Amino acid sequence: MDFLTLARDALSQQPFSMHMETEIVRCSAEGTEIVMPLHPHYTQQYGTAHGGALSFLADTALAFAGAAALQSQVLTSEFKIHYLRPAIGEKLIARARALSSGQRQAVCQCDIYVVKEGEEKQVATAIGTILPR
């Protein structure tokens, strides 16, 4: 079984990820890509994506990128996110990759983009430490 199939199976067992309608479209040692629709109930009072929705997406993408790099089940040890601009659009795309990995941890980076009318704009970036479980 390939790693993308394993990742999709793992994601499907996460009730919150299923609630958020996330889908893994790529997951390998080279990187991970996860998409999520940007429904109105994922926004705050100004109509932009809520920071919690962006943080959830970053955490999830970082963890799957770390899992692919470590070839292991993982846990997020920590992450930091920078919100770059308001996210207004139809969907979010998170692209994550391991910057460094060893036996004990992977340090991963994730960039999040909003798609509006077919155009992508970066809205956040995150970095995190992922540990084998």
Side-chain angles (χ1 to χ4, degrees):
M1 186 178 293
D2 64 57
F3 203 79
L4 177 59
T5 301
L6 290 171
R8 285 178 171 160
D9 288 346
L11 188 74
S12 73
Q13 295 174 42
Q14 299 176 7
F16 191 76
S17 294
M18 293 295 89
H19 171 75
M20 299 297 281
E21 300 179 52
T22 54
E23 178 188 358
I24 296 180
V25 295
R26 183 172 54 92
C27 189
S28 69
E30 290 76 43
T32 297
E33 184 171 314
I34 300 176
V35 297
M36 184 179 96
L38 184 50
H39 295 303
H41 53 274
Y42 300 156
T43 63
Q44 40 81 322
Q45 70 271 24
Y46 304 114
T48 65
H50 190 282
L54 294 169
S55 290
F56 154 75
L57 190 56
D59 180 29
T60 303
L62 289 165
F64 277 101
L70 296 168
Q71 294 290 300
S72 172
Q73 293 181 347
V74 298
L75 299 168
T76 302
S77 173
E78 59 81 31
F79 78 96
K80 177 179 176 101
I81 188 165
H82 297 272
Y83 303 108
L84 305 174
R85 68 175 41 89
I88 300 171
E90 296 89 43
K91 71 178 176 178
L92 298 168
I93 301 173
R95 295 186 180 111
R97 65 185 177 91
L99 299 175
S100 175
S101 65
Q103 292 181 345
R104 295 174 172 249
Q105 70 180 21
V107 175
C108 300
Q109 179 178 348
C110 175
D111 295 319
I112 299 178
Y113 301 84
V114 68
V115 178
K116 183 176 181 181
E117 298 174 357
E119 184 180 341
E120 289 184 19
K121 287 190 179 177
Q122 188 175 4
V123 295
T125 190
I127 191 163
T129 304
I130 310 301
L131 306 178
R133 186 170 170 242

